[in-house]
Amino acid sequence: MTHRRDLTITDVRLTPVLISDPPLLNTQGVHQPFTPRLIIEVTTETGITGVGETYGDARYLEPARQLADALPGCEVSDLNNLVPLAGLVCAPPQETSDAVDAGGLRGVQTADKVLLSVVSGFEVACLDALGKALGLPVHALLGGKVRDTVDYSAYLFYRWAEHPDGQGLKDDWGAALDPEGVVAQARRFVREYGFTSFKLKGGVFPPDEEIAAVRALAAAFPGMPLRLDPNGAWSVETSLRVADELGDVLEYLEDPASTTARMAEVAAGTDLPLATNMCVTTFEEIPEAFAQEAVQVVLSDHHYWGGLRNTRELAALCRTFGVGVSMHSNTHLGISLAAMTHVAATVPNLHHACDSHYPWQTEDVITRRHEFRGGRLAVSDAPGLGVELDRTALEALHRRWLDDDGGLRDRDDAKAMRRAEPGWVSPSVPRW
């Protein structure tokens, strides 16, 4: 078989990093002062390099190394071979469980899900390299954009002013622990980034307190779309009560209860749309959820689903079954945000503004940070993703990872919370 030199992979470089993260609260605990990510570089015979990004926790690193070792000699265009190759060469991750992921709040964690998250970073890197080789943006490789800008939502968090013991990098956002603090945070997001919709991470305080915060947002920003996400912390009864009390102001309620069965019970008792990034995160989980009408909006995440092309396949299934689609976010850097924006630009049925943690991240590995204007990101038409690695920043963040004693190389929000509350144990669900 003849290989194109500009498409043939000769080298794969993996660089785990630790990036700063503010003390953002969720039902499992609080974000650590630094969180791990993995930067993937795929280089072809002619020196073209594509970049990707995914989770950097230990359970992702070994399969990533095994896949990286197997890729030289393959072509960056051979994307359909990534999942079979990963299944062939990657040993099952050792640290998986049937419990909810205490860091990503993704839902049940399995070996297959870890492998898909690994593959996602390699697929993005290959698409970036392929786009550069062909002189085409990634969105063109996915079928072409249907919009020139992508809407994003302000991601609001209850948070502390700083990490326990003064750890991590400091910022000037201050604490947000009540409705007034949440509204002040939202005003700053509007002022600095122009966002026109809001999502509040809930499951932190008793439901009545979070209802009050959403009501305060509705009063401060009348008519703007609002979402609330307690990450499955509520019982069916509590979920229905909140849905009843906030049904007139919420765009949707995200994962109020854990498991598809509980979500189906909630959905049967309310007209308020339910969204998820916890009970539907793989294709295998779709039939049960759609058959039971448990969710009305699926929040895709290309890290979960195995890449950008699978994200488009998910969107097509949602369109077929009349289910809305948007995008979930976790703590990510500019490479992942670029990838999100490219695939979002190609999805006709993108019904809601996408989530993004990016404004909370003060560090990056690209030379030019993305800029939100009017709550939107422009879709790049440059070859590939349209981003360039900042080698100095990458090395500094990798040095932080190397210097860590291992305590921060795996995200664990419950462990981080125990620095402030030594007896803290992640609550079982339902919490309320």
Side-chain angles (χ1 to χ4, degrees):
M1 180 183 294
T2 302
H3 289 266
R4 281 185 50 167
R5 294 178 62 241
D6 57 348
L7 300 186
T8 302
I9 298 170
T10 56
D11 185 55
V12 180
R13 180 180 178 183
L14 304 179
T15 309
V17 298
L18 282 175
I19 62 170
S20 64
D21 210 5
L24 308 178
L25 298 165
N26 57 50
T27 193
Q28 296 289 326
V30 65
H31 288 206
Q32 297 176 152
F34 301 100
T35 199
R37 299 293 285 179
L38 177 64
I39 307 304
I40 300 166
E41 298 175 68
V42 172
T43 302
T44 71
E45 190 173 337
T46 56
I48 295 171
T49 296
V51 296
E53 173 193 344
T54 191
Y55 301 103
D57 306 70
R59 63 182 175 272
Y60 300 94
L61 295 184
E62 187 55 31
R65 291 188 184 103
Q66 293 165 337
L67 183 54
D69 289 342
L71 276 179
C74 300
E75 293 194 358
V76 293
S77 58
D78 191 12
L79 300 171
N80 286 336
N81 190 45
L82 283 176
V83 170
L85 182 61
L88 182 66
V89 304
C90 299
Q94 297 300 307
E95 297 182 14
T96 59
S97 82
D98 292 330
V100 171
D101 175 17
L105 296 168
R106 166 182 184 162
V108 174
Q109 186 70 285
T110 67
D112 287 342
K113 289 182 180 183
V114 170
L115 207 57
L116 282 174
S117 294
V118 170
V119 168
S120 72
F122 284 88
E123 189 221 47
V124 168
C126 287
L127 283 168
D128 186 34
L130 180 60
K132 291 172 179 175
L134 300 178
L136 294 172
V138 165
H139 64 72
L141 304 179
L142 300 173
K145 62 182 179 179
V146 297
R147 58 183 61 84
D148 293 321
T149 61
V150 173
D151 287 332
Y152 285 87
S153 181
Y155 208 155
L156 309 178
F157 281 83
Y158 292 108
R159 56 160 292 164
W160 296 330
E162 60 182 30
H163 287 284
D165 304 328
Q167 283 194 318
L169 304 184
K170 300 203 171 33
D171 62 37
D172 62 352
W173 282 84
L177 299 170
D178 54 27
E180 293 74 21
V182 170
V183 169
Q185 189 181 104
R187 292 192 190 282
R188 180 167 172 178
F189 269 112
V190 172
R191 185 171 66 251
E192 296 188 6
Y193 304 104
F195 290 116
T196 57
S197 62
F198 304 96
K199 170 178 168 176
L200 175 62
K201 177 66 75 178
V204 177
F205 296 115
D208 285 340
E209 295 184 37
E210 297 182 353
I211 289 171
V214 172
R215 282 290 175 195
L217 286 169
F221 304 96
M224 285 195 183
L226 305 176
R227 307 103 175 251
L228 176 60
D229 172 22
N231 282 119
W234 300 338
S235 67
V236 170
E237 293 75 19
T238 297
S239 300
L240 287 170
R241 181 171 70 83
V242 175
D244 182 60
E245 295 199 33
L246 294 179
D248 60 326
V249 295
L250 285 182
E251 180 182 17
Y252 57 68
L253 183 58
E254 180 180 341
D255 285 308
S258 62
T259 78
T260 294
R262 288 174 180 159
M263 289 283 283
E265 283 190 69
V266 178
T270 180
D271 292 328
L272 180 64
L274 303 185
T276 188
N277 73 276
M278 292 182 69
C279 65
V280 180
T281 61
T282 65
F283 289 103
E284 291 75 17
E285 292 169 337
I286 286 177
E288 179 186 12
F290 284 14
Q292 295 186 25
E293 299 183 343
V295 296
Q296 289 70 54
V297 182
V298 172
L299 301 177
S300 174
D301 185 321
H302 72 272
H303 306 92
Y304 291 5
W305 291 85
L308 307 186
R309 296 175 312 130
N310 277 1
T311 299
R312 282 187 46 80
E313 290 188 19
L314 169 64
L317 281 173
C318 289
R319 186 164 61 248
T320 300
F321 286 93
V323 174
V325 68
S326 188
M327 288 192 184
H328 164 262
S329 157
N330 207 314
T331 305
H332 59 81
L333 294 167
I335 297 171
S336 282
L337 183 56
M340 288 174 64
T341 303
H342 274 275
V343 70
T346 72
V347 174
N349 53 315
L350 191 71
H351 296 104
H352 310 274
C354 301
D355 297 340
S356 178
H357 284 66
Y358 194 69
W360 289 113
Q361 312 312 137
T362 56
E363 298 178 315
D364 211 333
V365 294
I366 58 175
T367 56
R368 183 177 178 182
R369 282 184 63 86
H370 299 286
E371 294 185 14
F372 294 94
R373 299 184 184 278
R376 301 181 179 92
L377 285 184
V379 181
S380 172
D381 290 321
L385 291 173
V387 299
E388 180 181 348
L389 271 183
D390 182 331
R391 294 283 174 191
T392 301
L394 181 64
E395 176 58 31
L397 298 179
H398 179 53
R399 174 56 54 187
R400 182 187 285 156
W401 184 88
L402 290 172
D403 291 343
D404 179 65
D405 62 4
L408 296 172
R409 290 186 182 180
D410 288 286
R411 180 177 163 182
D412 188 337
D413 293 2
K415 178 182 175 182
M417 178 65 89
R418 283 193 287 273
R419 295 189 66 87
E421 299 182 25
W424 175 266
V425 176
S426 292
S428 59
V429 293
R431 186 176 180 183
W432 287 288

